[in-house]
Amino acid sequence: MRTITLINGDGIGPEISEAVVKIIEASGLKIDWDVQTAGSDVIEAEGTPLPERVLNSIKKNKIALKAPVTTPIGKGFRSVNVQLRKSLDLFANLRPCKNLAGVKTRFDGVDIVVVRENTEDLYAGIERQVDEDTAESIKIITRKASERICRFAFDYAVKNNRGEVCVVTKANIMKLSDGLFLDTYREVAKDYPNINQREILVDNLCMQLVQNPKQFDVLVLPNLYGDIVSDLCAGLIGGLGIAQGANIGEDCAVFEPVHGSAPDIKGQNKANPTALLLSAVEMLRYIGENGYAARIEEALHKTLNSGKMTADLGGNLSTTEFTDEIIKNL
Ligand code: NAI
């Protein structure tokens, strides 16, 4: 039996993790979940929101499924999510955004894959208070990290029969940092003559995405633009409740939804488990359990297609009712 690290998270995390574990169990696949707690709840007992045992568990098991963990805004500890990605060198954040049958949205036929650099940029968290009225954040872009994320995006395109990789920057203004990302993309692109190249500035991308998203295929972006644009793309396909993601490194991979811990609906049995479920489906494919992955995905599609969904998608089912419907359709 395969052992996989499970981080239940906080906010809606425990509710959606429970749903996903139940669905996987009902599919017949046996997984030995190595449950690891992290975040504000463990600080008092262990002195850190990301204890070494969590990292060790992922290093040992190589794969983790992770529900969201809250980060205090403006003060308090550094994001567990950012620390986790950095500590395990999970350099690629892969966020496919595709319409789901049954979920009504403004556009049909959206099929965009956001490939976000996951280790540097303004997310490096290098900030200082210059004086009482001035604060400074430093944006780090390196050739090494830019090269491996661009290569990851092109390799992904080749493996998945995608036609184009479009690089997104603001290199007209940040000529050095985003300029380096763009130059690196151009160098890497030379090795992939069969994949179409495209360059776009991030502000124009946002406008084009909300007007005509079907023109985009694979997008590769530095960390912060990737963060923002992937939420925008989630909105195009029906919202954060269905947007899946994965953090991939050389040695380990952590599968997690795009969304956060949604404190506004915590504990109300309202959260949509789909984003975590689709992240888990990708995880199953990653470990070679394609049959179970397909079965679970089919059951999810059947459920949504029959109009059964949670409130964020316009339905009236609770988290547990929606979970039970998926299980019935397995
Ligand atoms: P959020 O993604 O948690 O919520 C934004 C909106 O989407 C809320 O109205 C929420 O109710 C809704 N939503 C999100 N997921 C949903 C789901 N599965 N079903 C139904 N509705 C859903 O973003 P927010 O409020 O900005 O962040 C809350 C906390 O989460 C913060 O502490 C943030 O740092 C953290 N966060 C953690 C992430 C992670 O663990 N990877 C990623 C993003 C944010």
Side-chain angles (χ1 to χ4, degrees):
M1 201 189 321
R2 176 100 199 203
T3 305
I4 293 178
T5 303
L6 175 67
I7 300 172
N8 282 328
D10 53 29
I12 58 167
E15 299 166 62
I16 56 174
S17 314
E18 193 185 322
V20 169
V21 167
K22 212 168 147 191
I23 294 166
I24 295 178
E25 226 170 71
S27 78
L29 179 62
K30 299 255 179 293
I31 288 179
D32 172 24
W33 298 105
D34 178 3
V35 179
Q36 295 288 333
T37 45
S40 56
D41 293 352
V42 305
I43 293 184
E44 205 176 311
E46 303 184 58
T48 164
L50 183 61
E52 209 49 35
R53 62 172 165 76
V54 181
L55 298 172
N56 289 340
S57 161
I58 302 173
K59 281 182 197 154
K60 188 169 118 231
N61 299 323
K62 308 283 181 213
I63 302 283
L65 182 64
K66 179 184 161 296
V69 177
T70 304
T71 307
I73 294 177
K75 53 185 167 45
F77 61 85
R78 267 194 81 197
S79 161
V80 166
N81 312 304
V82 174
Q83 278 185 60
L84 190 74
R85 294 166 192 166
K86 255 198 121 159
S87 311
L88 298 170
D89 202 20
L90 303 170
F91 67 91
N93 194 331
L94 186 64
R95 295 178 157 183
C97 264
K98 195 173 173 179
N99 282 117
L100 283 175
V103 178
K104 284 199 196 75
T105 54
R106 211 161 272 145
F107 302 98
D108 291 325
V110 175
D111 184 5
I112 298 170
V113 178
V114 175
V115 177
R116 163 186 174 193
E117 200 289 319
N118 224 5
T119 62
E120 54 183 30
D121 192 359
L122 281 159
Y123 265 73
I126 306 170
E127 292 195 300
R128 72 181 181 112
Q129 197 73 42
V130 179
D131 60 39
E132 208 184 320
D133 300 315
T134 315
E136 182 180 80
S137 288
I138 296 183
K139 172 165 166 138
I140 306 281
I141 300 284
T142 64
R143 192 180 303 280
K144 183 179 167 222
S146 305
E147 189 187 334
R148 65 181 177 171
I149 197 66
C150 289
R151 209 163 276 291
F152 180 94
F154 277 102
D155 285 340
Y156 179 90
V158 171
K159 266 189 230 133
N160 295 279
N161 296 316
R162 316 286 304 210
E164 180 179 277
V165 175
C166 174
V167 64
V168 184
T169 64
K170 189 78 185 169
N172 53 334
I173 305 299
M174 276 156 282
K175 293 180 196 294
L176 296 183
S177 53
D178 280 13
L180 178 57
F181 193 88
L182 179 58
D183 281 348
T184 311
Y185 163 88
R186 288 175 181 159
E187 275 306 305
V188 171
K190 288 180 189 159
D191 295 338
Y192 301 86
N194 296 327
I195 304 287
N196 199 39
Q197 295 167 40
R198 181 170 173 188
E199 299 173 5
I200 194 165
L201 298 176
V202 65
D203 40 353
N204 182 20
L205 171 79
C206 292
M207 192 272 291
Q208 303 271 349
L209 275 172
V210 296
Q211 276 201 325
N212 177 18
K214 280 197 265 186
Q215 63 179 299
F216 294 104
D217 190 340
V218 177
L219 303 174
V220 64
L221 315 88
N223 205 339
L224 184 62
Y225 307 142
D227 176 47
I228 297 166
V229 166
S230 47
D231 268 36
L232 194 164
C233 290
L236 293 173
I237 57 160
L240 285 166
I242 58 175
Q244 60 173 305
N247 302 288
I248 298 173
E250 302 286 353
D251 297 323
C252 328
V254 175
F255 292 79
E256 64 171 343
V258 172
H259 65 73
S261 55
D264 53 335
I265 55 166
K266 170 188 171 180
Q268 297 171 29
N269 199 16
K270 267 189 189 168
N272 188 348
T274 302
L276 184 65
L277 184 63
L278 286 172
S279 308
V281 163
E282 270 323 294
M283 177 189 80
L284 296 184
R285 293 212 168 94
Y286 192 84
I287 60 172
E289 295 289 0
N290 297 319
Y292 289 102
R295 242 184 100 199
I296 294 170
E297 201 171 36
E298 238 170 74
L300 169 71
H301 289 168
K302 200 167 160 195
T303 308
L304 291 171
N305 234 340
S306 63
K308 298 198 165 122
M309 47 191 83
T310 44
D312 56 308
L313 299 179
N316 57 8
L317 296 192
S318 65
T319 312
T320 41
E321 287 165 341
F322 180 62
T323 305
D324 291 342
E325 285 299 326
I326 298 174
I327 291 172
K328 264 192 233 157
N329 285 327
L330 270 170

